[in-house]
Amino acid sequence: MRHSSAASRLAAPNSPPRRECACAVAGARTSASPPPGPRGGSEPGGTMFTSTGSSGLYKAPLSKSLLLVPSALSLLLALLLPHCQKLFVYDLHAIKNDFQIWRLICGRIICLDLKDTFCSSLLIYNFRIFERRYGSRKFASFLLGSWVLSALFDFLLVEAMQYSFGITAASNLPSGFLAPVFALFVPFYCSIPRVQVAQILGPLSITNKTLIYILGLQLFTSGSYIWIVAISGLISGLCYDSKIFQVHQVLCIPSWMAKFFSWTLEPIFSSSEPTSEARIGMGATLDIQRQQRMELLDRQLMFSQFAQGRRQRQQQGGMINWNRLFPPLRQRQNVNYQGGQQSEPAVPAPLEVSEEQVARLMEMGFSRGDALEALRASNNDLNVATNFLLQH
């Protein structure tokens, strides 16, 4: 059967990482959530986005608001109200000499360059995985902390350039919500697993994170002095992520404010659950379409069994019985149909788990027991095991 062969390929210990099983990070883990649909892994060119989780902005209302509101205001200023753009210029000299402190807010929220708006919006969409992993309040606290710290580092970098090298930077730095976007590259580099997609030449390879780094490089080179904003954003993200001087406790969103915005704005910017319907490329042949749908059925079966185990774990407590949940996927290749009779599958020997992969899962916040059982259930496929643990 084609279904059995597709499942056997998924469960093979030496099979390459599944491209469509993204190393997604979901902050809101719900056992009742449906299995996510494919994320472009089976379509040409779709593997570059495999680290961004399921499609859409489900469980990411803050990311959705950061996509819609600043982008709409940026388009409004560029197309209909160009005479108002001077109010949103990030002018350090005016802030320092004329005490126009309000520019620290207005000049660092809305991008006046549409190229910066486009690139930063794409990056925010990809970084929505951190809102799912941390939760909206912690994600907002990270953005607030990096946004405040980067304003200080902007002044320090400009003054250091002038004092050390005699270089006077332009009075106007690039406007927009750029520094927190660059700050998010710090947890992206540290906590998202790197999965190789294709080998190019020697040590050079394409991974699931390559396209996001290219977008960051495009944003980094989009202006003359945007590198100042980028460096200050990276430094602020490093300071906040490493909890230097306990800045994460000082620069954080109060619980009452988080509850207020959750009650007022979250219903507006919340998104519906993603559908599980497969997206088939227009140029795909019938055989490819059947194979993709068989793999989708396998993936849906895995996630439904995993969700059932999570519910039982919440009701009874203790570890998930992964060996009870996943034997259909690990042993399906041993099932033979002969004359309408199904032979009894043989129980495989315990699979040796790579300690390096266990450590990578534990760095993402999972217990050693869950990491071991997830890797055994997925036949040492880090991509699949990460998807199991993070999507629920």
Side-chain angles (χ1 to χ4, degrees), residues 178-215:
L178 301 177
V181 173
F182 284 107
L184 286 169
F185 275 98
V186 175
F188 179 76
Y189 175 79
C190 297
S191 62
I192 301 298
R194 177 180 177 271
V195 180
Q196 180 175 320
V197 175
Q199 191 77 20
I200 300 179
L201 180 63
L204 300 178
S205 62
I206 297 177
T207 69
N208 58 326
K209 303 165 71 172
T210 301
L211 182 59
I212 301 177
Y213 286 134
I214 292 176
L215 283 174

Side-chain angles (χ1 to χ4, degrees), residues 72-83 85 111-114:
L73 293 177
S74 179
L75 289 172
L76 183 65
L77 288 174
L79 301 178
L80 301 179
L81 300 173
H83 58 281
Q85 288 187 350
C111 292
L112 299 181
D113 192 335
L114 293 182

Side-chain angles (χ1 to χ4, degrees), residues 354-369:
S354 171
E355 288 296 329
E356 180 182 357
Q357 293 181 346
V358 173
R360 295 178 71 178
L361 289 176
M362 292 178 65
E363 288 176 357
M364 300 178 69
F366 302 107
S367 66
R368 178 178 177 81

Side-chain angles (χ1 to χ4, degrees), residues 264-286:
T264 56
L265 297 181
E266 185 173 353
I268 301 176
F269 294 103
S270 61
S271 299
S272 59
E273 299 179 2
T275 61
S276 58
E277 182 181 356
R279 297 174 295 177
I280 305 298
M282 293 180 61
T285 63
L286 293 177

